[in-house]
Structure formats: C-alpha cells, structure tokens
Amino acid sequence: MIFALLLFVAVPLMAACTPAEGNVARLLRLGDYTGPIAVLSIPADQGVEDYFRYVNDRGGVDGVRLIVVSIDTRYDVARGVSAFVAHQDDPMLLMVDPVSTPMTEALAPLIAARGLINYGTCDGKFQAELGRTFLWGVPYQDGFAAFIDWAVEDWQAKGNPGTPTIGYMNWDSAYGYEYMKGGQEYAALRGVTLLDPEYYPTTELDHSPYLMRLRDGGANYIFVGGVEPAGTNVIRKAYEMGLTDDIVFSADWWGISKAGASAHADELEGALIVSFFLRGAEAEQTFAGDLWVESGRGALEDMNEIYAMGVALSKNFEEGVRLALQEVGYEGLDGEALYDAFQQLTGMERFGIVGPVAYDEDDRRGSTVVKFYQVQNGEIVPITDWREAPDSVSLYYGD
Amino acid sequence: LALVLLALPLAACTPAALVASLEVDPPTFELDMTMVEVAPGVYYPMLLIVPITFTGSGWAPGETVAIDLVPGEVEFPAVEPGENVGIAFAVADEDGNIETTMESITKIYILMRADIPGETMALDPATIDLIPAGVYTIQATGATSGAVGTTTIEFVMPAE
C-alpha cells in the first residue's frame, strides 16, 4: 500500500523533473542525403549541424538552442511536401530549407501561409516576388550576368574585336531554365551573341550532341550548369572532344568541387568556376575550416566547400533569431518575427565565406557578389576578387 | 519467381477521416492506374511509363494536398520505420478538385525501391528491389484544411 502511494506520488514528480527541451528555435532542412544531389546536401547539412552545435555549446542564442531537423527527401518533391505537412504544426519551427528549385516552388505558398520563412537556393523569381523566400546566395541569372561581363573582358583582353559568342548548357529543369530568365536579356544588353540554350536531361550520359551544336554555333565561351558531377562530366566530355583547346568553359557554383578538380586535373585544367562562396583552399582558411577540424570531420583537405556555405547560412539563422529575440522575446518568437529580423540582416558578414548579406525589405538576395576561380594543376585557385553580380532578375521579371 | 508487377486499378474510395477544424465537405480521393500486364522480366521500364493518377474532390480551394504511402511493415530506403512517405502532391483547383500523377523519381524510390546514384543521375537497375506484393494504404492530407482521405492500392505478382 505504501509502495503504491509512493509510486502514485513519485511518478508524476519524476515526470515533472524530466528535463524539458528548453527554449529552442528550429530549422527544417529538406535535403537529399541518399539521392542524386547528396553531394550538395550532405556537406551543407554538416555545416549547419556543426555551427548550431558550436552556438549551442556556448549557451545558444540568448539561451535559445538552435535545432536543425534534417529529412532525407532524396530530391523528390513529393517527399518534401509530405515532410513539411508533417512538421508544420511544430510551434518552434521558424524556417524551412528545401534543397531544390522545384521543392522550393512547391512549398513557398505553404510556408507563407504558415507565417514561416524559407530559404530558396538561388532562383531569381523569389527576388522578384519579394515574399518569404530568402535566397542562399546570388540569383542564378545574376551569376550568369557576371560571367558574361567576365567573358567580354577576357575576350577583349586577348585582343579580339567586338564581343564573344557564348553558349549555355544546363539541366532540363526549373533550375536550368532560371538562368536564362534575365540571363538572355543581359546578354542582349551587353551585345553578346548568346546561342540557343542547350538543356540536357539530368540522366544524360553522352553530352556530345549538345556540345557539338554549341561548337557549330561558334561558341567562344560555354557556361555549364548542373550539380556535381554533372558539370564536371560535361567539361570532361568537351575535353575528350578537343573543345577545351579553343573554348573557355565555366561551371556554376554547384559544379567542380575541390575533389572533382583534383580527380580530373588534366580534363578540367583551365576551367572556370563562378561562385558566391569561397572555393578551394580559400574556403579552408576560414572559420569553417576550423569548425570542420574541431568537429572531428577529418582532414581539412577533405572539407567540401559547400560545408562552408552551410556554415554561412547558419549564421543568418543565428543572427536572425538573435534579432527576433531582442524585438519580441522568446514568447513572441515565431516565423513572423524571424521574417522581420531577416530583413534587418543587411550587410552582415559571415566569416568572409560569402559576400555581405543583401536581405532587406526590398531584397531577398543572400549576397550580390561572386568570385571567379580556375582549375590549375588540380587545384581551385581564385583569379578575381569579389565582383558585383549585375542585376539581371529585373530584366526578365521587371522591377 | 518472376518479379513482374501488375497494378490493379482501385475501385474503392474509403470515406475520409476528418479533423475537427475541417471546413470543407469530406474530400474524396481516388487512384487510377491503367492495368498493364507486362511480360515477366520487363517491369522496368514499363513501370515508369504507366501513369499512376490520383484524383479527388472536396478539398479546400487552392490548398496543397500531400499524398503519402503508408508503408506498414514494409521497409523503404531512407524512410524511418513507421513513418509515411510522400509519393505525390497536388494543388486543388478553385472547385476543390485535385488531379496529379506519380513522378518517375518516386516510382523508382517507392515502387522499385532502387537507387539513383549521383554519378549517373539515373536509375541503377542493379539496385531494383520491387515493392512486395500486397495492399497498401494511400493517404491524402490537405495542408490547410487538415482533411484526410484514404484509398488503397494493390500490387500483385502475376502468374509466371
């Protein structure tokens, strides 16, 4: 009887003493950890995990722990939508990070309806719409415009008259199309001949027909999109076809990783990379490199540069939560508060990994600058400083 | 056993389970799949070609509807045991109707339980492990209304 009474009293007390979760702010990442773009998702996620742990080990953000919930969507939009619906009622979910253009587009209205905010990769349409989607970095079309500027300079520096002819190849997908929504208009503005875009299936194994059309069109420069190793594979094919002798190839920021450059040094020699985050050894020399080692991830040379980008994105969340807490306290911390806070991050530095934050009331760009890199002897080396990426979003979508 | 997949069209449409906040009429949810009996051994790529269509009505206008497979005891790569897995989604039109199809990537992951390696970005036929025969519940959830509709799909192995 006494035992039963003790049990009756003790059990609720024990339950009451169970450590609660405490004050938290959650980010839902809908990544791809076992599918076709895992090479992009995994290092970015590692960067987020490590940075949140780094912050939490130091007391969190004014006592609020940052939590990342990572769901493996395998690059399948249907999984992303279902995962969001399953988590949308979490009161401390503030932000969602869908790691694909189609998933971002599918979820954006749902996220807005819930009063949350989300990251979008780099689709300019979200800069044009000025909604609740904040871009990771520079809009794709602005990065392409920066490439056009660089190509014109390079062309003329080599003593050529006029402007070059430029080709464009990318996945036959929403991501691939986005580059041309403003990119084509910017090419016309610069007086550059831009050949018809070549869109290839993500599953394409032989890129030679697309490359031959661009060669026959007289391309002097070819910009290649596609998440690693897709872009690398295209340029390797071009090398095999002998095209890299006369045509300058450039990958976008999801192409040619440090590992790819090292593994295919001869084929990629001279290829460019346009990037809104630091690449190669430059990325290793930032706080992200220290965090990588401190977190026991392995040798510094094994750090994928996208890990550093993940760290930079985490800084946005940390400082956004900090600002929101200052404004509304923990009781008022929600997606709406974070939405207001993100628009006040303007100019914030993120360990030098990316350019200063451009977010404000009229801007959803993560930053506005890119750097150009080149593969040289299997290494990725910078060939420019940060350069402003021209606004080409407004050329297509309007102001 | 020749692993040939024969999918049967669904006649049944079970009544929707409703949540308290539902403000729309009970949604209906149906699945339609052209019955295709394929020769043994050629389920791939046939399964990718056969359209699997979901239709329904009674949803909130403009709401997104997530369509999940309820795995039961069956395991799927990258799905936690006991968790549902998304297989399609739709946006209801102004009359609350939905119609959508299952994408190829979903068929590969769910019906074939296969991998898409990043090196090729294509289905690796060597990894195909067909979904076991049986009746599976499919659940549709309105993201705004919370309304839920269910139906079932049966996969059978045709006789050799």
Side-chain angles (χ1 to χ4, degrees), chain A residues 36-375:
Chain A
I37 64 160
V39 69
L40 187 164
S41 268
I42 291 174
D45 215 68
Q46 290 173 332
V48 176
E49 279 180 15
D50 290 352
Y51 189 70
F52 279 12
R53 187 174 57 246
Y54 171 85
V55 171
N56 293 337
D57 286 349
R58 285 154 183 77
V61 179
D62 298 333
V64 175
R65 288 188 306 121
L66 308 182
I67 308 288
V68 57
V69 178
S70 301
I71 305 291
D72 187 2
T73 65
R74 311 196 86 185
Y75 204 47
D76 185 346
V77 179
R79 284 201 194 201
V81 171
S82 289
F84 173 76
V85 171
H87 286 83
Q88 65 178 348
D89 292 329
D90 175 352
M92 293 321 298
L93 174 64
L94 306 182
M95 186 168 196
V96 183
D97 190 2
V99 188
S100 88
T101 294
M103 199 181 294
T104 303
E105 291 180 351
L107 286 175
L110 289 178
I111 289 165
R114 283 278 163 176
L116 306 175
I117 64 171
N118 66 298
Y119 275 132
T121 46
C122 294
D123 304 289
K125 66 175 288 188
F126 297 113
Q127 160 66 4
E129 292 173 356
L130 289 178
R132 304 178 78 96
T133 301
F134 293 82
L135 300 186
W136 284 359
V138 173
Y140 290 127
Q141 44 274 78
D142 291 2
F144 184 69
F147 169 73
I148 290 175
D149 283 353
W150 184 90
V152 171
E153 286 175 27
D154 183 64
W155 177 255
Q156 293 173 350
K158 289 173 178 169
N160 295 305
T163 55
T165 296
I166 293 178
Y168 172 79
M169 266 184 79
N170 206 333
W171 283 351
D172 190 1
S173 70
Y175 147 67
Y177 310 148
E178 188 66 23
Y179 272 96
M180 292 293 99
K181 295 175 179 176
Q184 287 178 317
E185 288 77 4
Y186 191 76
L189 197 69
R190 290 299 318 263
V192 164
T193 301
L194 181 62
L195 302 174
D196 287 342
E198 293 286 346
Y199 296 115
Y200 62 97
T202 53
T203 55
E204 186 62 82
L205 295 178
D206 181 8
H207 304 99
S208 53
Y210 313 91
L211 287 164
M212 280 191 281
R213 280 194 290 273
L214 293 176
R215 177 200 61 192
D216 295 344
N220 307 115
Y221 298 79
I222 296 178
F223 186 92
V224 181
V227 175
E228 181 85 332
T232 292
N233 289 342
V234 172
I235 299 174
R236 291 172 64 200
K237 173 58 74 175
Y239 172 83
E240 186 184 309
M241 296 167 66
L243 302 183
T244 54
D245 293 338
D246 300 319
I247 302 173
V248 177
F249 282 81
S250 177
D252 79 351
W253 41 72
W254 306 135
I256 311 188
S257 66
K258 194 169 54 176
S262 172
H264 307 291
D266 290 341
E267 296 144 289
L268 297 176
E269 180 68 20
L272 302 176
I273 306 160
V274 184
S275 185
F276 73 86
F277 53 93
L278 296 182
R279 314 294 291 229
E282 281 195 331
E284 296 172 6
Q285 292 157 10
T286 64
F287 168 77
D290 298 337
L291 188 64
W292 171 270
V293 174
E294 183 187 303
S295 302
R297 294 287 184 189
L300 190 54
E301 55 267 29
D302 293 334
M303 185 189 86
N304 185 308
E305 301 99 318
I306 293 175
Y307 174 88
M309 187 206 68
V311 171
L313 293 181
S314 307
K315 180 75 175 169
N316 294 349
F317 190 76
E318 176 200 15
E319 292 306 321
V321 168
R322 193 184 311 282
L323 275 176
L325 287 170
Q326 288 169 5
E327 292 291 326
V328 299
Y330 186 70
E331 295 72 25
L333 183 61
D334 58 11
E336 196 63 39
L338 194 64
Y339 174 62
D340 292 339
F342 257 57
Q343 294 172 79
Q344 299 172 49
L345 295 178
T346 323
M348 184 179 75
E349 295 286 347
R350 290 158 293 180
F351 315 111
I353 296 166
V354 292
V357 173
Y359 303 150
D360 66 22
E361 288 180 0
D362 301 315
D363 211 317
R364 296 294 178 269
R365 292 174 295 178
S367 59
T368 63
V369 291
V370 294
K371 284 189 84 163
F372 286 74
Y373 293 84
Q374 189 171 42
V375 178

Side-chain angles (χ1 to χ4, degrees), chain A residues 32 34-37 71-79 81-82 84-85 88 102 106 109-110 113-114 171 202-205 227-230 233, chain B residues 63-68 76-79 85-89 103 105-107 109-110 114-123 141-144:
Chain A
D32 170 12
T34 56
I37 64 160
I71 305 291
D72 187 2
T73 65
R74 311 196 86 185
Y75 204 47
D76 185 346
V77 179
R79 284 201 194 201
V81 171
S82 289
F84 173 76
V85 171
Q88 65 178 348
L110 289 178
R114 283 278 163 176
W171 283 351
T202 53
T203 55
E204 186 62 82
L205 295 178
V227 175
E228 181 85 332
N233 289 342
Chain B
E63 81 169 325
T64 299
V65 178
I67 300 170
D68 291 352
F76 292 88
V79 178
V85 57
I87 57 172
F89 73 99
E103 297 289 333
I105 190 171
T106 310
K107 291 178 178 176
Y109 284 143
I110 301 300
D115 283 340
I116 303 175
E119 292 74 20
T120 59
M121 299 288 289
L123 163 66
T141 306
T144 309

Side-chain angles (χ1 to χ4, degrees), chain B:
Chain B
L1 178 66
L3 288 178
V4 179
L5 208 61
L6 177 65
L8 299 178
L10 259 228
C13 174
T14 56
L18 306 179
V19 297
S21 62
L22 179 63
E23 294 176 355
V24 296
D25 291 333
T28 65
F29 179 52
E30 298 178 347
L31 182 150
D32 179 62
M33 188 170 175
T34 306
M35 188 188 294
V36 175
E37 188 166 5
V38 293
V42 296
Y43 53 84
Y44 164 71
M46 202 62 210
L47 200 51
L48 295 180
I49 297 168
V50 174
I52 301 177
T53 304
F54 303 96
T55 59
S57 59
W59 304 91
E63 81 169 325
T64 299
V65 178
I67 300 170
D68 291 352
L69 178 85
V70 181
E73 299 299 313
V74 177
E75 294 184 359
F76 292 88
V79 178
E80 293 295 321
E83 286 191 1
N84 296 347
V85 57
I87 57 172
F89 73 99
V91 178
D93 65 19
E94 58 187 13
D95 296 321
N97 299 316
I98 60 167
E99 179 168 353
T100 189
T101 56
M102 188 186 291
E103 297 289 333
S104 293
I105 190 171
T106 310
K107 291 178 178 176
I108 291 169
Y109 284 143
I110 301 300
L111 304 186
M112 298 180 181
R113 298 195 297 178
D115 283 340
I116 303 175
E119 292 74 20
T120 59
M121 299 288 289
L123 163 66
D124 177 1
T127 63
I128 292 175
D129 177 19
L130 284 177
I131 188 171
V135 178
Y136 294 81
T137 297
I138 297 178
Q139 179 175 298
T141 306
T144 309
S145 66
V148 175
T150 60
T151 186
T152 57
I153 185 172
E154 181 174 10
F155 294 104
V156 299
M157 301 301 170
E160 291 190 51

